[in-house]
Structures are given as C-alpha cells and as structure tokens.
Amino acid sequence: MRLTSLLRPAAAELVFFVHLWISPARGAAFDPVQLPNINLEQLGRVALTGDFDSISLYTYQQQTQNPFSANGSQALITQLPNGDYTAAATADAYIKTMCPFIRDNGELAGIVVGGNFTSLGGIETQGVAMYDPNTNNITPLPGLLGKVSAVYCDQDTDTVYVGGDFKGANSTNAVAWVGMTGWQNLPFAGFNGPVDTITKAPNGNIIFGGTFTGLGNTTAPVKEDQQIVNLASANITSGSTTEEDGFNEPNSIVCPTPGQDEAGSTWLLEDRTPGFWRADLNFGFQPTKLRLWNTHQNGRGTKTFRFTALPLNGIMNMTYNDPATGKKTPCDADGARCPLSDNTSLPYQDFEFYNIVGMSAFQIDISDWYGDGAGLNGIELFQDDIYAYAVPDLNEPNCANIKLGSNSTPTGPWLTAPSGQSQSQYLTIDLASEDVQSAGTSVVFRPNIRQRGNYSVTVYTPGCLQDNSCDRRGIANVTGIFTEGGSPIPPQQISQTNNFDKYDQIYDGPVDVNIDSFRATVTLAPYTQQDEEILLVAQRVRFAPTNYNGGLNGLFEFDPASGSTLTDFSKSAFDQAGTNLQPEAAVTSLAVVGGISYVGGNFSDIAGIIQNIFSITDGNATSLPNGGLNAQVATFQVFGDLLYIGGNFTNTATGNVAGLNNFAAYDTISRSWLALGSGVRGQVNTIVPLELNITENQPETCITVNGHFDRLEAFESAPAVPVQGFGVWVPSRQNWLQNLDLTTRRITGKLSTATNITGSKPLLAGTISSQGVPGAQGAVELTSDPLQLNSLGVKIQPEPVASPKRKRAINGQDVSGAVTGIFHDRGELNVTVIGGHFTATATNGSTINNLAFINGTGAVSGLGSGLDDDSVFLALAIQNDILYAGGTVSGQLDNANVNGLVLYDLAGSNFAYPQPPALGGDNVAVYAITTRPRSTQVYVAGNFDTAGSLGCPSVCMFDNGQWSQPGSGLEGSVAALVWQGNDKLLAGGNMTINGNSTRLANYDARNQQWTALDGPESAVPGPVTSLTRANKDMSNFWIAGKSSNGSAYLMKYADSRFQSIGDGGRLGDQTTIQGLAMLGLDDAHDKSDLVGEMMVLLITGSLDVPNFGNASAALYDGKNFIPFILSTSGNGPGSLSQLFSEKEVNFDSSGGRMKLGFVVLIGLAIALGVTFLLVVAGILLERYRRRAEGYQPAPTQYFDKTANLGRIPPEDLFGRLGQRGGAPML
C-alpha cells in the first residue's frame, strides 16, 4: 500500500534498522562516481575493520558521511539508487509539512514545503517554498512572515491551503496559493490564532484545525500603546543645537521630569534656526504613538515638525487631538508637518501613527518655532506589542519610573552581539568555553503585562549568517509560566540554526497582569540532549494581545465553491462541534477514513462525553468508544481501515482497554480500539509511514513512531526494548521491528514528515544518516568484480574506553570497535580473526569480548575465560596455527599473568600453553606483530621495557618458547613493522637509538644492529603510526602519522629521500590516518611520480578529504584523493582502522587484466600458432622417419619406360614386397 496523502509532521528521535526497498524511480538525476577499477584477486579474501555501525562505498556524488544534524536543522531527503539516503535540499530549521501540488491539468507543479525555516537549499525563503523533485530546484514563495505548520494541496480548486503562525498579504495564520499566480487572501482573512492541521472533508469543503477562536486579523488590544520604547539606550544626535550650557545636550529630554523646563532637562536649537533630533536604537520597533513635551524656555518652543522613519527614510503620517477643538486631526498632508502647541497648561501632546511601520531609528525635523527659537522638553515613544529583550539595556528604561517594567536576567558569561542584519542586539554564549556551566546558563525574560488577557507569546531568534555561527548553533530549551498559580508550559525545543531572523510561538492563551507576587516569565536555556560545544543566542520575547471573542473554538469549515465566508457557524457540523468543546480547545490532527472525519487534539466537550478525539459523520459529532482517550492526541496516520494515533495518553477515557500507552490504533470498520504491543513509555509526537523490506524483495508499509519516549513496552513474550524516541511497528507481524530477528540496514537521525510523489519514491523530511551494507558493524569484506562490501557475519558493538591505559600512545587515539584482523587458511583450518575493543554475540548466544573467530561455516566464537574484559587487541599475527594477539591485553592464564601479548591455539580452540612471559613497563601496549620470512621468529613491537625478566624495550623477538632482544640501543614506542626482505626490518614510531631521536629505524637481523634511517628527523614531521610498502623489495614505502601541530601527514620514501604529496592535495587538519595499503588496478590512471599507473594507495582512518569532507577511506593515485568508503558510528562519522588480506600485494603482477576482446584475439592467435607448429613438427618427424628407414629421393631424370620393362621380371619385383628388415632391393 502506498503512503496516504495525509502525512503529519514529525520531529522525533530516529534510530532504526531496516531492509530498504530500492525501486526504480523518476526524479532528480543522481551523479554516479567512477571509482578506480581495483583488482583484489591477487590478495585472496580482503576485509576492513573499524569503528562503524553502517558503511557503504562512495558511489554517488550526493553521498556524505556526515552525521545527522542534532541542532534542529533538517532537510528534504531522497533515496539514492544504492539505498542510501541523501539530502536533496537543506533547511536551516524544522520542516513541518509537505504536499504534492498537482495542478488541475494533472501536472506536478512541485512539492510545497512548510516549516519554521528561513532558508531552504541555500535560498532565502520564510517558512514555505516549492521544491521540484525532478531538478532539486527551490522556488521561494515570498510574502509570509512566520512559520507554516500545515499545507493541503487541493487539485480540484488548483489551490494550496496554508496554515500556521504567520502574517502574509492581509491575512494571519491562513492563506491560499492559487495556481501559480501567488498568494491570495481567503475570504475570512485567516484566524486569530495558529492553525495546526488542514484537510478536506468528504463534502469537498476545507477544514482548518488549531487554537483559534475567531476569523480574521482580530488582534487589536483593548489597551493600546502599552510599552515604552527605550530611548535611554539609543545613540542620540542632533543638528543646529545651541551652544548655551545646560541646553545643548539632546539626551537631556529622554525620560522627562514633569515641571522641570530648565537647564539640564531641556534641549534648544540655535536662535531662529531649523534643526533635528535623532535617535539610533540597537533594536527594531513599530511605534504606535509619539509623545512630545514642548519647551517654554524664555518664550521659545517648537511650532512644527515632522517624523522620519529610518533607515526607510519615510516621512510618517500622524494624527493628534487639536487642543482648540478636542477633535482628532491629521497633520498637514503637505510634507506631513505636525503642529506642537505652546500652551503652557498642556504638559505634553500625543501623536498617533497612521501606519504601523518597523524601524530602528528616527529623526524629528523641526521647521518652525515660537519666540527666538525651537526646542523640546521631553520625548517618549510607545508601541502596542510587549517585548522583553535579552540585553537588559534594551528593555523599558528605569528612568521612566515603571514599577514592573520589562526586564531580563542573564545567568552566565553572556556577551552582547551587534544587531547586524537582525532586528536588535542579542546575547551569545559559547558553551564550549571552560568557564561556562551549561546547567546554570539561562536568560529569564519578564514582560510588562498591564492588562490581563490572551496573548500570543513568541521567541525571536537572530539569523546565523550575519555572525557566521551557523556551524556552531544548536537548540534552545524554552519554558514559561503565564498565570498565577498555573503550571509551567511543557518545555519546547527551538532550533537556532536559522540563516535569517525567525520567530517561534511557544504559547497562546491567558496571561496574568503583573503584580508584586507574580510576573509572567519565559526562560531560555541550552537543550541538554545535544552537543555541549554549541553557541547559544538569546534576543527577545514578544507578547502580542489576541482577541478571543470570535465564535469559533479550534475548528472551521470553509466552502471554496461559495467564495464567501459562512458567518452562521451553527450551520457547519465542524464549527458547531468546536463550539461544543470546552473553551481553549486545541485541534492538532484531522483525518478522513471511509467518509468519516476524525478530529484529535487536547480538548473535552461541555457535555463530558468526548475526550481528545471524536468523529463527524452525517453532520453529527460522535464520541469514539469508551469516551475517546484520556490525554492529548498529537498526531494521526491513516493506513487502510486503521487510524494510527499518537500522543500522551495511556488508556481510553473510561480506562477499559489495556496497552494503549501513547501509541494505539482505531479500527474504523469494527469501531474498536487496538493495542499495538503495549505502546511506548513516553509521548509520541508524530507517526510517519515508511516502505521497508521486511521480507526480502517484498516491500511493505511500516509505521514509524517518533517522540520523547525511552522504551517500547513489553507485551506477551516480547521484552521491553530501550530506545531513543523511535520505534517501527510492522503491521504484517504485529510486532516492533526491534523485536524481529532480521539482517537489516542501519539508519540514524530524525524524520519530520513525508509525502508521496506520483511515479517516484516518497520524499522524506528530517535529518538522516545512513550507509548501505545490512548487518555490517565493525568489520566488512571487500570484493571486486563487482566492487562491493559484504557483511562478515559478526556484529561488532564498540566499547567505550575504560581507562587512560587504553589509549594508543603513538597517536593518542582512543580505541573503540574492531581494530585489526587476519585470515588463516591452512589445511582443514579456515578461520577469520577480528580484534579490537568491542563486544559481539557468538553463535551459541554467549558474549564475545574484544577477539572474535569466524570459521569457514560462518560460526562465530570468542576466547575462553582468563583475560580482562577491557583488554584491547591492536595487532595479530599467526605462526603455524598459533595466533599471536597483542595490544593492551591483561589477565591471568594458568596462574600466570598476561600483559600485552597472548597466544591462542587456533587448531585446538584454546589458549596456548605455556604463554610467553608477560611484557613489562608503564602503559604496556603491543602495536605491531610480524613473523620473519622463512623463519619461526615472531617480532613484537610497541610500548614496553621488558619481556619477562629480560630487558627488551620497544621490539622483542619470540622463538622456541623464549624471548630474545634483537640488537640493542632501541627505546621508545614502535607502532609499525614491515620486512624489507628476509633479513631487514623497518620500524616506525617515536623512538631513540642510542639516545638519538628518530621516527624510522632499520634492523639488520644478521648483524643484530639498529640504525636510524638517513635524515628522518628533519624530514618526518611527527611519530609514524602507519607504513606500507610501495614496491616489491620495500626500498620504497609510505608513512603516515601526526605532526607536532596535530595535523596528519602522508609521505613517500623513495630513492633515499622523502617525497611530499604537496600542499594543495593534503588531507584536512582533522584527519587521523590509521592504515595504509597498496592495491592493484585493472586500468591505468594518469602518470604520477608517487604512485605507479597500475597501483593506488588506500588510506583508512577518519579522513577530511579535500573538496569533499568526512570519509573513512580514500584512494590516492599520486595526484588526487578520491573518497572511497563512507561510514557512521551512532550520530557521528565512523572510521576504518585497516585493511587485511589473505595474501600480500604482488607488485610484479599488479593489475593488468586485459579486456575480453583482446583475450579472445590473443587466444585465437596462440591456437593458430600452436596448430602451425604441430603441422611443421609432423612434417619434420615424417622426413626423419623415412630417412631412418632408408628412403631416398626419387630421381628427377626422365627415363624411357619401355626400355626398362624387360630388365626385371614382375615376379621378382612384387615377390619381395612382403619381406621386412630393409628397403626393397632393386
């Protein structure tokens, strides 16, 4: 079944494991990557180890290894042909809703996308945009300011209905996009509260649901001009000011003191000279009233003036009450000049703005005066909306003598940032700073509420582009309390990754007036479940009064065919159903199934028979069985005849159905409730369908559940399953996917919504990280022809680092996951060994710690008891059937201590006896083990000082059951060993030889002598952590490590010197290289001095590839780095440790497979050549045989036949033919 058209928003944790159905689809073209044609045949089996839970080859340019975003930003997501997901267009905040806009002519105009973003796909667009799935193009739909929560695409009327919390055109919270002509006001001009859901009723009418009570923009407050604009913090300037002391300060008229028209409180212009007074503020505002006090100093005063809004440079029209007539009078239309009275009995005059315009500065130009010149004694500016600013100086001025004025209290080392392109200055705090404690960081906003009533409370967030902080921004946690004795609102998470300014409504409802014992407050703090190294911002909070007397209550039915608004709400079943609910109903979900409309939210009816959900059919609102549900419904999802429901409920209203914990289904045919397992522990926010391969090649729709829950509840024989806000319900199995034993693909992230596209795969929205090998965790097999990754059949679960000794001393890397591996195929013994720091599950169900064995049949097993569970294996080697396993290994076997190295008998599947004497020293670790060619000697290298009682630092040799020190003078830490022939050993690390520091050292096994490689100290910038051969005899080799400044380096040693790869091609500074390997190719690449044409260098680790980003493996052809393998681990990039293979690369025969046509031609030529040789040989052999038997060449002279007929009688001639022993005698 396809996804239904009613797809609700989602924003919940997503961590699930699924087969993904990869079906052919129409849509935007994906760009395949042409990887080098690697030939792995000569290596036998090849595998890779690392710290990852999902992995894939880099086969499309749209793939990335980046983790899913946890800072609130999301994206439109589509599926690549290889099954991975990729972002088609990235938003700077949440995406709430989508629908496909199919025109009345049947053509797809695009996907309408709504949310609280300010940009999508890098294009500035406020809250709504059109996405073209065929081209990935984004078309802004400008004109709305705010967030969009619901869209409904109606093909019949060629209209997209849009709802949310916004202003646009001349409407609020609801508007229509008609055809491709643009926005059109609906006949009712929107609603006085937010819209959360929109659907189409069976009769063809459009149904709006939300938290509104009336139509249109009815938000005018009962009391106007409630807040004083803070001019005390403005930059005040003036022109033509008098030079007279005490009257030449333009700041002196801010916060006037009544009755003090004197020096220090009055500002004057020069005699008989026009001038101006200007205020530049650190925030934007929308003034509604100007109050001026005129001066009467020595008969002076201002007679006429005008008000100019800046930076718009617009002259504002105003009205005033004429003192002579008492009537409201417009200022002079010619130049908008307003008169100011010189009547000494008038303390001040008020001027009201005709239009409400936003500005951040203004100027008063004085053109005429009384007496000898103009001046002012005071000024105040007012606005309707009530703001509390994070920057304390921007709130209502203290000098205004307001008892409970707006204010804020920042806690923590917040810094003030300039307004830039934003509306005001704001505060920032870097949570990564050492002096910042996230738990104590907050800003508390306190508004000046002078009138009890209903308010829309909005939090403003400045854009991140202006301060270049988008990569650092995260999520704010916002709470509030608005009524005396009331409960705080539930915490809300607000993404701060918006490129441009945005606002988010956090509350809509009653707010109590300020009194000494209570003030409404809003608290902004860091969200705790995110990266602690984010940058948090705080700007301002708005309290906008709303009108709650509109005759509606959360539901409204609109008839598009009428073209007008039905004002008698009793004629609509939906409108009437809303008015029958208790006041302040919140409708969050609407759905239609089988001709019946379903309404869900947070409400109850006046009669007490409906709780949080009901149906409407045949014009009547009807309670669902058992009175509905006992708490809020957050979301619906239709699937066949079932209505899936999520929210914060635990049972029906009468409590008669068990197992309805926050997630349930309603059977619309039998009209009965269905428990889905036993639900989940915690709130469900959204339900999003997704097609998955539960049975191989059999896609089916599953139900994904998102929210703030931590457990799938136990039911029947299924145990409780810990989760992080995500579950997948499989309808065909009536079970959670997490309970099913399936080999699955791993996906991590968040989904917000999804929509169908005709003839294509569904389009998702959210943030997802996925890679493409089902069941591959920690170790994976690599094959060529075709090139692909396959699971090794063991699921590695990485273990956290337990103690400081578990660090790799060479590069400081904490070890987690699979680190190393080895193949062993000898006689009937076929085993693959994986080592590292992990747990896994054996075939018999037991737990494996850190070393796993996979036999030829795929059975998985581990070590016996004796080693500590926190042992870490970093190096493996095999001599005969004995496995040498080294690392930070500890424990006790047969009453003997083990430290650094353990031997295991692969044939007997048990620990070898006796074990070598333990290694000793501080922080013992074995990093490399190698067997000497054509010898039984095993060389062990790492960080240690002794082997048993033998002093044997850094490198020690084990043979015939005992340790021996190879040479002398070597100390330090050795990370890598490679043989250069039978007698020469190359060691890399951080060493000294006879006290002299070196990164590379040669050991001559015949002479038992260590020598530093010529000139490495000046050429190698840091300790060597990886090395590999670059040619057959190892005279040329590659090295990698970390330089002294922490950046990664990669170098080649050839012709007795080191060759740099060049500054332009270096890997990024965040790179850590863990392994190097040379691989052969089938096709030559461009010539390079560093890498042969038929070879390529594989680099594994955690890489920052130039012009790409994060990768776990890359190929280097001597000129370019090519991303090769991508992986993830949890919500972060994964890493690869190393490649291991059955055989070593053969530099003499690397690559070179011919094309099939050449093979056929050469085979034919060889066949013809062999045939020719056989024919020639046959002729020669026949000639030889005849000569041996006495044959002579026949005479070539012509004889007279008749002359010789009488010489030999015929009987003599033929009588000798049967005789043997010689040639016929003539």
Side-chain angles (χ1 to χ4, degrees):
M1 177 175 290
R2 288 193 54 76
L3 311 187
T4 64
S5 61
L6 180 65
L7 291 173
R8 293 287 303 141
E13 291 297 326
L14 173 58
V15 179
F16 63 97
F17 308 82
V18 293
H19 274 302
L20 292 169
W21 178 39
I22 304 174
S23 61
R26 174 180 63 86
F30 301 115
D31 303 313
V33 174
Q34 185 64 45
L35 292 172
N37 199 1
I38 297 174
N39 179 7
L40 301 176
E41 290 183 357
Q42 59 177 301
L43 299 179
R45 294 187 65 195
V46 178
L48 296 151
T49 57
D51 182 10
F52 57 85
D53 49 35
S54 62
I55 189 169
S56 65
L57 294 171
Y58 176 59
T59 54
Y60 288 89
Q61 292 181 19
Q62 289 77 16
Q63 286 177 260
T64 73
Q65 185 179 279
N66 297 332
F68 70 83
S69 171
N71 62 5
S73 61
Q74 296 185 339
L76 298 176
I77 299 168
T78 189
Q79 195 176 23
L80 295 169
N82 66 358
D84 289 351
Y85 286 105
T86 187
T90 301
D92 60 2
Y94 287 103
I95 296 172
K96 299 288 188 182
T97 181
M98 296 188 295
C99 68
F101 184 25
I102 301 175
R103 301 289 308 280
D104 51 6
N105 59 9
E107 295 181 356
L108 177 66
I111 307 299
V112 180
V113 183
N116 68 341
F117 48 82
T118 64
S119 71
L120 182 63
I123 305 297
E124 182 176 2
T125 178
Q126 284 280 347
V128 64
M130 189 90 73
Y131 168 70
D132 186 338
N134 296 313
T135 64
N136 280 351
N137 289 337
I138 302 295
T139 301
L141 305 181
L144 302 187
L145 181 62
K147 71 175 180 180
V148 171
S149 300
V151 294
Y152 185 85
C153 296
D154 185 22
Q155 183 178 1
D156 294 337
T157 60
D158 202 25
T159 300
V160 181
Y161 296 94
V162 179
D165 180 19
F166 56 79
K167 294 180 180 179
N170 292 319
S171 297
T172 58
N173 304 321
V175 72
W177 181 273
V178 180
M180 297 304 291
T181 61
W183 297 113
Q184 290 189 16
N185 294 309
L186 294 167
F188 49 89
F191 301 93
N192 66 353
V195 172
D196 293 315
T197 179
I198 306 173
T199 195
K200 191 173 187 177
N203 63 3
N205 290 347
I206 303 300
I207 311 302
F208 296 85
T211 53
F212 49 81
T213 60
L215 300 176
N217 184 9
T218 55
T219 60
V222 176
K223 291 184 178 180
E224 299 179 341
D225 315 320
Q226 294 192 69
Q227 187 167 48
I228 297 177
V229 178
N230 189 345
L231 300 179
S233 62
N235 178 35
I236 307 298
T237 57
S238 62
S240 302
T241 299
T242 183
E243 296 181 358
E244 184 177 353
D245 290 341
F247 298 96
N248 56 357
E249 292 293 336
N251 298 61
S252 63
I253 65 173
V254 175
C255 291
T257 302
Q260 295 185 4
D261 189 2
E262 57 191 26
S265 61
T266 298
W267 166 75
L268 298 177
L269 289 174
E270 294 178 354
D271 290 351
R272 293 174 292 280
T273 303
F276 70 87
W277 188 95
R278 173 170 172 153
D280 289 88
L281 287 77
N282 295 312
F283 56 92
F285 56 95
Q286 292 181 312
T288 55
K289 182 173 68 177
L290 171 68
R291 177 171 292 174
L292 291 178
W293 282 260
N294 207 349
T295 182
H296 306 288
Q297 183 67 220
N298 297 324
R300 298 169 180 264
T302 296
K303 190 173 185 179
T304 58
F305 71 94
R306 71 181 181 190
F307 185 103
T308 303
L310 302 172
L312 303 176
N313 204 32
I315 300 173
M316 302 296 294
N317 292 314
M318 294 187 288
T319 62
Y320 67 100
N321 286 329
D322 189 333
T325 64
K327 295 181 179 180
K328 181 176 287 189
T329 304
C331 293
D332 183 7
D334 183 16
R337 299 190 183 277
C338 295
L340 191 60
S341 174
D342 65 344
N343 189 340
T344 57
S345 64
L346 287 177
Y348 56 79
Q349 270 187 272
D350 288 340
F351 298 85
E352 295 180 356
F353 291 90
Y354 187 80
N355 294 309
I356 307 303
V357 175
M359 62 191 75
S360 60
F362 66 92
Q363 181 169 304
I364 295 176
D365 293 289
I366 299 173
S367 55
D368 201 359
W369 50 87
Y370 298 105
D372 290 333
L376 292 172
N377 182 235
I379 182 172
E380 282 185 342
L381 205 59
F382 298 84
Q383 62 184 6
D384 281 345
D385 288 343
I386 301 167
Y387 288 93
Y389 291 88
V391 178
D393 290 344
L394 305 186
N395 288 303
E396 289 180 303
N398 295 328
C399 62
N401 297 318
I402 303 172
K403 182 179 180 181
L404 297 173
S406 62
N407 64 68
S408 63
T409 303
T411 301
W414 294 84
L415 301 176
T416 300
S419 59
Q421 301 299 315
S422 185
Q423 290 294 314
S424 73
Q425 290 179 331
Y426 54 95
L427 297 181
T428 68
I429 190 167
D430 190 345
L431 299 181
S433 299
E434 295 181 357
D435 57 344
V436 175
Q437 299 293 327
S438 297
T441 298
S442 67
V443 175
V444 179
F445 300 85
R446 301 179 187 88
N448 181 7
I449 304 297
R450 301 180 182 182
Q451 168 193 347
R452 189 186 191 282
N454 292 288
Y455 290 81
S456 171
V457 182
T458 305
V459 175
Y460 284 76
T461 305
C464 61
L465 288 180
Q466 62 182 349
D467 59 7
N468 197 30
S469 66
C470 296
D471 292 340
R472 295 287 316 283
R473 293 280 189 95
I475 300 174
N477 192 67
V478 180
T479 58
I481 184 167
F482 302 106
T483 57
E484 186 177 14
S487 300
I489 63 171
Q492 299 190 39
Q493 288 74 52
I494 294 179
S495 166
Q496 297 194 329
T497 56
N498 45 292
N499 290 345
F500 307 96
D501 284 12
K502 69 157 186 172
Y503 63 83
D504 293 272
Q505 184 190 59
I506 63 167
Y507 177 74
D508 188 271
V511 179
D512 283 347
V513 68
N514 287 357
I515 56 177
D516 291 336
S517 61
F518 173 79
R519 296 195 64 174
T521 60
V522 173
T523 302
L524 184 148
Y527 182 50
T528 56
Q529 299 179 22
Q530 65 178 332
D531 185 353
E532 294 184 354
E533 297 187 356
I534 67 165
L535 191 74
L536 193 68
V537 297
Q539 188 179 52
R540 58 178 175 159
V541 176
R542 183 189 70 178
F543 285 69
T546 57
N547 183 344
Y548 270 70
N549 298 307
L552 296 176
N553 193 16
L555 280 171
F556 178 68
E557 180 179 5
F558 170 62
D559 181 3
S562 69
S564 61
T565 302
L566 181 68
T567 56
D568 185 357
F569 300 142
S570 63
K571 295 182 178 180
S572 165
F574 288 91
D575 299 351
Q576 187 63 39
T579 58
N580 287 336
L581 300 176
Q582 295 284 356
E584 301 177 14
V587 175
T588 60
S589 303
L590 295 168
V592 177
V593 187
I596 300 176
S597 301
Y598 293 87
V599 181
N602 188 12
F603 51 73
S604 61
D605 74 329
I606 298 173
I609 60 175
I610 290 176
Q611 292 285 333
N612 302 302
I613 186 171
F614 63 91
S615 64
I616 296 179
T617 181
D618 298 328
N620 297 310
T622 306
S623 171
L624 267 60
N626 309 108
L629 296 168
N630 64 358
Q632 177 182 359
V633 170
T635 184
F636 285 161
Q637 179 57 56
V638 178
F639 181 70
D641 297 324
L642 296 182
L643 179 66
Y644 286 92
I645 306 166
N648 198 29
F649 48 83
T650 57
N651 209 315
T652 62
T654 58
N656 296 334
V657 182
L660 307 184
N661 292 302
N662 307 299
F663 176 54
Y666 179 72
D667 190 327
T668 61
I669 301 299
S670 64
R671 301 192 73 249
S672 60
W673 292 103
L674 302 176
L676 305 175
S678 190
V680 301
R681 186 173 71 177
Q683 180 173 329
V684 172
N685 293 332
T686 57
I687 300 171
V688 180
L690 194 64
E691 287 183 337
L692 311 174
N693 262 0
I694 301 303
T695 303
E696 187 174 359
N697 297 323
Q698 294 295 321
E700 60 183 270
T701 300
C702 296
I703 307 300
T704 69
V705 184
N706 308 269
H708 298 295
F709 53 88
D710 61 3
R711 188 172 73 190
L712 309 178
E713 298 286 18
F715 70 100
E716 298 177 353
S717 61
V721 180
V723 294
Q724 293 182 329
F726 181 82
V728 180
W729 181 257
V730 184
S732 65
R733 306 288 184 93
Q734 285 297 291
N735 207 334
W736 296 102
L737 181 64
Q738 286 86 337
N739 288 328
L740 302 177
D741 185 17
L742 299 174
T743 300
T744 56
R745 175 189 301 271
R746 181 177 174 86
I747 299 177
T748 59
K750 296 179 180 179
L751 285 177
S752 60
T753 186
T755 191
N756 281 327
I757 304 174
T758 303
S760 184
K761 300 176 186 178
L763 181 68
L764 306 176
T767 172
I768 284 180
S769 175
S770 73
Q771 308 298 341
V773 181
Q777 293 173 245
V780 67
E781 188 171 16
L782 177 66
T783 60
S784 59
D785 201 17
L787 188 66
Q788 63 184 21
L789 298 170
N790 301 301
S791 172
L792 279 173
V794 58
K795 293 182 179 180
I796 302 296
Q797 298 294 329
E799 287 290 300
V801 177
S803 66
K805 78 173 186 175
R806 301 306 178 197
K807 286 189 174 183
R808 300 191 68 174
I810 291 294
N811 58 18
Q813 284 289 301
D814 291 342
V815 176
S816 181
V819 178
T820 184
I822 193 169
F823 292 111
H824 183 56
D825 190 357
R826 184 170 181 259
E828 297 182 355
L829 187 60
N830 185 350
V831 62
T832 302
V833 186
I834 305 294
H837 192 202
F838 58 82
T839 61
T841 302
T843 301
N844 63 9
S846 62
T847 299
I848 297 171
N849 289 302
N850 309 313
L851 197 66
F853 305 97
I854 310 168
N855 67 18
T857 65
V860 181
S861 59
L863 296 170
S865 61
L867 297 183
D868 296 337
D869 289 346
D870 65 347
S871 293
V872 181
F873 291 94
L874 304 173
L876 302 174
I878 295 175
Q879 181 68 275
N880 295 324
D881 291 333
I882 301 299
L883 172 69
Y884 290 73
T888 55
V889 183
S890 60
Q892 195 171 62
L893 299 174
D894 295 322
N895 298 318
N897 290 331
V898 173
N899 195 15
L901 181 72
V902 68
L903 273 58
Y904 189 82
D905 186 347
L906 295 173
S909 297
N910 51 35
F911 290 107
Y913 180 83
Q915 290 288 317
L919 301 173
D922 295 332
N923 298 326
V924 170
V926 170
Y927 299 131
I929 307 174
T930 184
T931 58
R932 183 180 178 184
R934 300 181 182 179
S935 169
T936 59
Q937 297 174 356
V938 179
Y939 284 72
V940 179
N943 185 62
F944 50 82
D945 299 323
T946 62
S949 60
L950 175 67
C952 195
S954 306
V955 177
C956 209
M957 187 265 288
F958 188 77
D959 191 21
N960 295 322
Q962 63 182 12
W963 290 107
S964 299
Q965 181 181 9
S968 61
L970 179 70
E971 293 182 346
S973 189
V974 176
L977 297 173
V978 177
W979 285 97
Q980 297 174 301
N982 297 333
D983 303 320
K984 303 289 186 181
L985 180 65
L986 177 65
N990 191 17
M991 305 162 285
T992 62
I993 298 177
N994 298 322
N996 297 315
S997 177
T998 187
R999 313 297 194 197
L1000 293 163
N1002 284 315
Y1003 175 67
D1004 189 325
R1006 290 185 178 273
N1007 298 327
Q1008 297 188 10
Q1009 184 176 3
W1010 288 98
T1011 57
L1013 190 66
D1014 291 341
E1017 184 63 23
S1018 60
V1020 181
V1024 174
T1025 58
S1026 302
L1027 64 85
T1028 191
R1029 66 182 71 236
N1031 62 356
K1032 183 176 181 180
D1033 63 4
M1034 192 58 188
S1035 60
N1036 299 341
F1037 54 86
W1038 287 93
I1039 62 171
K1042 287 278 189 179
S1043 60
S1044 57
N1045 64 6
S1047 62
Y1049 70 83
L1050 175 65
M1051 306 179 76
K1052 182 182 180 182
Y1053 183 81
D1055 301 325
S1056 300
R1057 64 184 181 89
F1058 286 98
Q1059 297 174 278
S1060 172
I1061 63 174
D1063 292 338
R1066 286 180 178 170
L1067 296 167
D1069 290 342
Q1070 302 303 313
T1071 293
T1072 296
I1073 297 175
Q1074 294 179 262
L1076 301 171
M1078 294 296 296
L1079 301 176
L1081 299 176
D1082 284 332
D1083 301 309
H1085 57 68
D1086 293 341
K1087 290 185 178 181
S1088 166
D1089 294 335
L1090 293 172
V1091 181
E1093 295 175 272
M1094 300 303 297
M1095 302 293 291
V1096 68
L1097 176 66
L1098 172 70
I1099 307 163
T1100 55
S1102 178
L1103 312 180
D1104 182 4
V1105 180
N1107 303 316
F1108 177 77
N1110 295 327
S1112 297
L1115 301 172
Y1116 182 62
D1117 62 5
K1119 294 183 178 179
N1120 302 300
F1121 289 100
I1122 306 165
F1124 182 45
I1125 297 176
L1126 311 179
S1127 73
T1128 59
S1129 179
N1131 183 28
S1135 64
L1136 287 178
S1137 179
Q1138 62 179 243
L1139 176 144
F1140 65 97
S1141 59
E1142 284 184 308
K1143 304 172 185 178
E1144 293 186 351
V1145 64
N1146 187 339
F1147 286 86
D1148 290 337
S1149 60
S1150 61
R1153 287 192 301 179
M1154 292 187 178
K1155 300 295 185 182
L1156 181 61
F1158 290 110
V1159 173
V1160 171
L1161 290 174
I1162 293 174
L1164 180 60
I1166 292 173
L1168 291 173
V1170 169
T1171 302
F1172 174 76
L1173 291 174
L1174 288 174
V1175 171
V1176 172
I1179 293 172
L1180 293 175
L1181 286 173
E1182 180 63 18
R1183 289 176 63 87
Y1184 174 79
R1185 183 184 67 78
R1186 292 193 177 192
R1187 284 183 177 275
E1189 292 181 355
Y1191 281 93
Q1192 296 293 328
T1196 58
Q1197 185 177 359
Y1198 181 79
F1199 294 100
D1200 183 3
K1201 297 180 180 180
T1202 58
N1204 293 323
L1205 286 178
R1207 295 185 179 181
I1208 302 176
E1211 60 272 16
D1212 290 340
L1213 175 61
F1214 295 101
R1216 297 176 181 267
L1217 289 178
Q1219 298 180 8
R1220 292 185 178 275
M1225 300 294 293
L1226 297 178

